[in-house]
Amino acid sequence: MSRHSCRLGVKRVYELPEGSDGTRVLVDRIWPRGLTKEHASVDVWLKDIAPSGGLRTWFGHDRNRWREFHKRYFEELRANRAAVEHLTKLASTGKVTLLFGAHDTKRNNAVVLADYLAAR
């Protein structure tokens, strides 16, 4: 997958879609607040690849928990072969942009997911 890393983007779902986004994949378990499906321009909602509810709640976007969140989410992804393979298959056909709703653009599940895919 690392050879496809240039085909992988990460952005907030609230940002305007661009033609260069390719397939837009929402990777959050919960639909983003205040955003209608019509305005989201989401091609695929892959909620099964999101962190478990327990991990998401534990993390709570606490910067002090970022490293541990990263490690625990990697572990969940290793055990979530079907969802990872679905995303890998999408990425093999062209550019994919991972969409997330969090305010923090540097510490969120989509960033960890992109790291995970690049490391494969």
Side-chain angles (χ1 to χ4, degrees):
M1 182 68 191
S2 58
R3 69 181 189 275
H4 299 294
S5 59
C6 63
R7 293 181 168 197
L8 194 63
V10 176
K11 73 193 290 187
R12 287 191 80 218
V13 68
Y14 300 101
E15 292 179 43
L16 290 174
E18 298 173 302
S20 61
D21 289 345
T23 303
R24 292 170 50 89
V25 181
L26 179 63
V27 294
D28 287 347
R29 191 167 300 277
I30 299 169
W31 188 262
R33 287 185 188 174
L35 190 63
T36 64
K37 293 189 179 181
E38 295 76 35
H39 287 93
S41 296
V42 170
D43 297 309
V44 178
W45 183 12
L46 194 54
K47 45 182 145 175
D48 291 344
I49 207 162
S52 65
L55 180 57
R56 187 177 51 81
T57 301
W58 172 83
F59 175 46
H61 299 283
D62 180 340
R63 290 176 177 219
N64 296 321
R65 293 183 174 180
W66 170 244
R67 282 192 178 145
E68 184 64 20
F69 172 75
H70 197 284
K71 181 180 150 211
R72 290 183 188 188
Y73 186 31
F74 255 58
E75 290 169 6
E76 286 189 359
L77 289 167
R78 279 189 206 101
N80 193 357
R81 285 200 171 132
V84 170
E85 287 306 316
H86 184 183
L87 185 55
T88 302
K89 191 175 274 188
L90 284 172
S92 73
T93 65
K95 171 87 184 268
V96 168
T97 297
L98 305 177
L99 303 171
F100 64 93
H103 291 286
D104 190 332
T105 58
K106 296 188 185 326
R107 288 172 289 277
N108 61 69
N109 62 298
V111 169
V112 177
L113 181 55
D115 288 349
Y116 180 81
L117 294 172
R120 289 183 79 212

